[in-house]
Amino acid sequence: MSGPVVCVLILTDGNPSEISVACDGVGDGLPDGLRKHYVTPEPWEALPLLRAGSGSGSVFAYFQGVDRASEVPVEPNLKATILAMACGLHGTRLVGDVVVGRVLMGEGEGEGGVGRVRNGGLRLEELCFDVDLRGKGGEELGWLKNAAMVNYSYKSELARFKEAFAPKENICKHCEGVHFCSEYCEFNAWSHKCVCPAWNVYISRRSSLSTFPYLTFPAVTTSPPFYASHEPYRDFLIGLGLYNEGWWGCELDGWEGGLSGSAKNVDCGVRVGVVEGFGDIGEGGFGQIGSPLETTTTNLDSYNLPIIKDWGEYYVMRSIPPESPVALLLHFPLTLFYGLQKFAKVQLEVARMLKKSLTIHIVGVEKELNFLDIFSELFSLFSKSDTSLTLVFVVRKDMLPSKCTSLNIDKENGNIIKVIAGSYNDDLSPDFDCGTGKPDVIIGMNAGLYAYDSWRFVVDYLRDSSTLGIFTDYNEWSGLNCASLGGEKCRNSMQVNPFRQPLALPVFSMNLPQFANGFFYCFNEQELE
């Protein structure tokens, strides 16, 4: 070990400072060099903020273990907890003074060897991040920008967002983004202060997210009662005579592993047309949905795909009246269309050059099984293109209703819909077991990659390959943190989906703006040369 190493001491009052010490060896507690510098009777624990093998060495946070028998309260350390969250450790709560240092392995030492601190350690400017916990700075700070992605590979169980409870009267006075069950709960939930500034920004965007040009019904479906309870949406559909009818059947009852009252009756082997699927939505309410494009009235891009930037332009192009509620279901095929047009230019170009179908795996499938035929509108939007689509709906076996089985549906113009029962790495290889070869694109709608352990193998597959992955999430906080699993570029790709569902959804434990297919982010996006 050569010379002193700079580490960072983060005090409980939030003031960080650099300390220069000589460190040699890494154990479960504070290294000797730090222990001599910072003397305390309490034991210290080591928390890896970044695991070895990332190219930047390991980064550890050393903090005081909590003495459960002591009656002396331990002061929360907000700054250090924010740092842990920025590294993807959302369930971590750090208390007391915290020392953060980098440990680089010496030559010939593997992951199980003895760590040696070298090459200067960690400096204060490396702990800089924006209000939404994104790392700032140049390439030398890449360890923080990509820490969540690296840490994900080592987690045996994903960090889970808190279980949702019914809204309470106590709401954060600063961001108005979270509910507390009592003043006592609010006082003890100090970790919310770590994200409060970011949530305040997200709340400020509610008005713009609730704006849908040309459409008239969102003035009702994005109003405050809709993001407080499911009942207003139920009443809205009942008022239109659509509740539990056709494709609307799974809008409110959930999926429950294919066992909910509506899901258990889904039979994806039965073909359903537009009129039967949408039900009685009024004269002309369907417009030209499902019909080939009229090139005389549609602007096309270089792939002969229609150029439409939002629901208003889509409704006008398809002659749909502004009061028609079809966007409440069409957000699924339109999200696929916009995602492919926005992120998959390279894949579309290769498919066109090779005169092959573009193979798309749709993963995390649930209620999409109730309206497979609605994706015919995606094929219609591709009707002037030279590229056909093969949509492979990959459904976990425990999510498959009893009436649904694997199937293959041949659509017009060489387009295909397939349903495959199974899970990546469990009983399916994405490259060999789906009847199509390697996917060109993987798409997960309303994914919530942090919420379910089953996403782990999808994320690992994307990170180990160059396959394009396009995902959506309900709210901005969830989207940003899930996108961080793909690294800095993936996280920075996150953007609002103009074809999100025009319906404000309740989040219960939070008051964040929430929309189905609300935000896009992308793994492994490539640029056309």
Side-chain angles (χ1 to χ4, degrees):
M1 205 265 318
S2 57
V5 174
V6 176
C7 296
V8 175
L9 169 65
I10 304 177
L11 301 176
T12 53
D13 62 6
N15 293 321
S17 60
E18 292 180 356
I19 55 177
S20 183
V21 296
C23 295
D24 189 33
V26 177
D28 294 331
L30 197 66
D32 291 340
L34 293 178
R35 188 181 301 279
K36 294 175 183 178
H37 179 87
Y38 193 76
V39 180
T40 177
E42 291 84 3
W44 288 78
E45 299 179 17
L47 172 73
L49 298 177
L50 182 73
R51 303 281 187 165
S54 64
S56 299
S58 299
V59 177
F60 281 86
Y62 300 96
F63 63 99
Q64 295 169 290
V66 179
D67 184 359
R68 306 293 182 190
S70 173
E71 296 182 359
V72 179
V74 181
E75 190 76 16
N77 194 320
L78 289 175
K79 187 78 172 181
T81 301
I82 289 173
L83 173 62
M85 289 183 175
C87 294
L89 307 178
H90 299 284
T92 298
R93 304 292 181 264
L94 295 175
V95 297
D97 294 345
V98 176
V99 176
V100 181
R102 175 178 295 154
V103 179
L104 297 182
M105 306 305 290
E107 292 185 9
E109 294 168 343
E111 189 168 330
V114 178
R116 304 285 181 180
V117 181
R118 58 184 175 85
N119 294 352
L122 190 83
R123 294 187 179 276
L124 190 60
E125 63 266 22
E126 296 188 48
L127 303 186
C128 298
F129 28 77
D130 294 322
V131 67
D132 60 4
L133 310 188
R134 300 190 209 202
K136 296 194 295 187
E139 289 300 319
E140 69 276 8
L141 307 188
W143 76 268
L144 179 55
K145 296 178 182 180
N146 295 314
M149 176 183 69
V150 175
N151 288 333
Y152 181 83
S153 298
Y154 288 86
K155 297 171 72 67
S156 60
E157 182 177 351
L158 301 184
R160 299 181 183 276
F161 291 105
K162 290 186 176 180
E163 181 181 1
F165 298 97
K168 310 297 182 184
E169 293 182 0
N170 293 69
I171 193 168
C172 177
K173 301 177 180 62
H174 301 286
C175 71
E176 299 184 351
V178 65
H179 297 278
F180 299 104
C181 58
S182 65
E183 291 184 1
Y184 176 82
C185 172
E186 183 174 1
F187 176 78
N188 284 279
W190 57 266
S191 60
H192 169 65
K193 296 177 183 178
C194 300
V195 298
C196 187
W199 287 22
N200 187 47
V201 173
Y202 302 154
I203 291 290
S204 71
R205 295 175 181 153
R206 189 186 299 279
S207 177
S208 61
L209 290 169
S210 300
T211 300
F212 296 88
Y214 186 76
L215 278 63
T216 58
F217 68 87
V220 175
T221 58
T222 61
S223 60
F226 280 75
Y227 50 84
S229 166
H230 288 300
E231 291 306 313
Y233 188 34
R234 188 185 307 273
D235 294 341
F236 177 80
L237 294 178
I238 290 174
L240 295 176
L242 301 176
Y243 179 62
N244 274 345
E245 296 294 323
W247 290 337
W248 304 94
C250 293
E251 274 296 275
L252 282 159
D253 290 345
W255 194 251
E256 297 179 7
L259 299 176
S260 70
S262 54
K264 66 183 181 181
N265 293 318
V266 171
D267 185 350
C268 60
V270 176
R271 307 277 55 80
V272 178
V274 170
V275 175
E276 183 182 356
F278 279 117
D280 186 6
I281 57 174
E283 185 176 356
F286 313 112
Q288 299 172 355
I289 297 173
S291 302
L293 293 177
E294 296 182 3
T295 54
T296 56
T297 59
T298 304
N299 293 322
L300 303 177
D301 65 11
S302 59
Y303 301 101
N304 288 326
L305 301 176
I307 301 173
I308 44 176
K309 70 173 189 283
D310 56 31
W311 281 117
E313 292 190 359
Y314 170 77
Y315 265 51
V316 170
M317 181 186 74
R318 295 306 246 167
S319 302
I320 303 171
E323 68 276 9
S324 174
V326 293
L328 292 168
L329 295 180
L330 282 172
H331 65 100
F332 281 99
L334 266 294
T335 290
L336 258 66
F337 172 78
Y338 188 81
L340 292 172
Q341 190 176 46
K342 179 75 175 179
F343 298 110
K345 292 182 175 63
V346 170
Q347 289 72 21
L348 287 168
E349 182 66 27
V350 171
R352 180 168 64 177
M353 291 173 57
L354 299 179
K355 297 181 180 180
K356 65 181 287 289
S357 180
L358 188 72
T359 299
I360 303 165
H361 283 194
I362 303 171
V363 292
V365 173
E366 291 185 355
K367 70 178 183 180
E368 294 95 322
L369 292 175
N370 185 47
F371 40 69
L372 287 177
D373 292 292
I374 204 172
F375 291 93
S376 291
E377 177 63 358
L378 175 64
F379 301 147
S380 295
L381 296 177
F382 269 75
S383 62
K384 300 303 177 183
S385 170
D386 297 328
T387 302
S388 61
L389 304 177
T390 298
L391 303 184
V392 182
F393 291 82
V394 182
V395 192
R396 281 170 41 191
K397 291 179 179 178
D398 59 339
M399 291 291 174
L400 201 64
S402 59
K403 295 182 180 180
C404 292
T405 58
S406 298
L407 77 159
N408 192 92
I409 309 168
D410 292 321
K411 292 289 190 176
E412 63 281 353
N413 300 322
N415 296 300
I416 297 173
I417 289 178
K418 297 173 68 72
V419 175
I420 300 291
S423 304
Y424 280 14
N425 199 62
D426 185 6
D427 45 17
L428 287 178
S429 164
D431 296 344
F432 303 107
D433 295 334
C434 295
T436 59
K438 182 179 179 180
D440 299 305
V441 185
I442 295 174
I443 294 179
M445 291 181 281
N446 302 316
L449 301 182
Y450 256 115
Y452 305 100
D453 191 59
S454 56
W455 283 114
R456 179 180 184 82
F457 302 111
V458 177
V459 174
D460 287 345
Y461 176 81
L462 287 170
R463 286 172 43 186
D464 292 339
S465 71
S466 59
T467 306
L468 176 67
I470 303 173
F471 294 87
T472 65
D473 218 313
Y474 286 100
N475 65 64
E476 198 164 359
W477 177 244
S478 176
L480 274 171
N481 286 288
C482 292
S484 70
L485 301 181
E488 180 190 9
K489 183 177 180 181
C490 181
R491 184 166 184 170
N492 290 340
S493 73
M494 208 189 83
Q495 57 193 267
V496 175
N497 176 13
F499 293 100
R500 62 196 177 278
Q501 187 183 34
L503 172 70
L505 295 172
V507 200
F508 300 130
S509 65
M510 299 181 290
N511 190 36
L512 297 180
Q514 173 125 323
F515 296 84
N517 288 318
F519 297 87
F520 274 117
Y521 56 93
C522 180
F523 286 69
N524 303 325
E525 182 182 5
Q526 302 172 24
E527 301 292 336
L528 276 175
E529 296 181 357

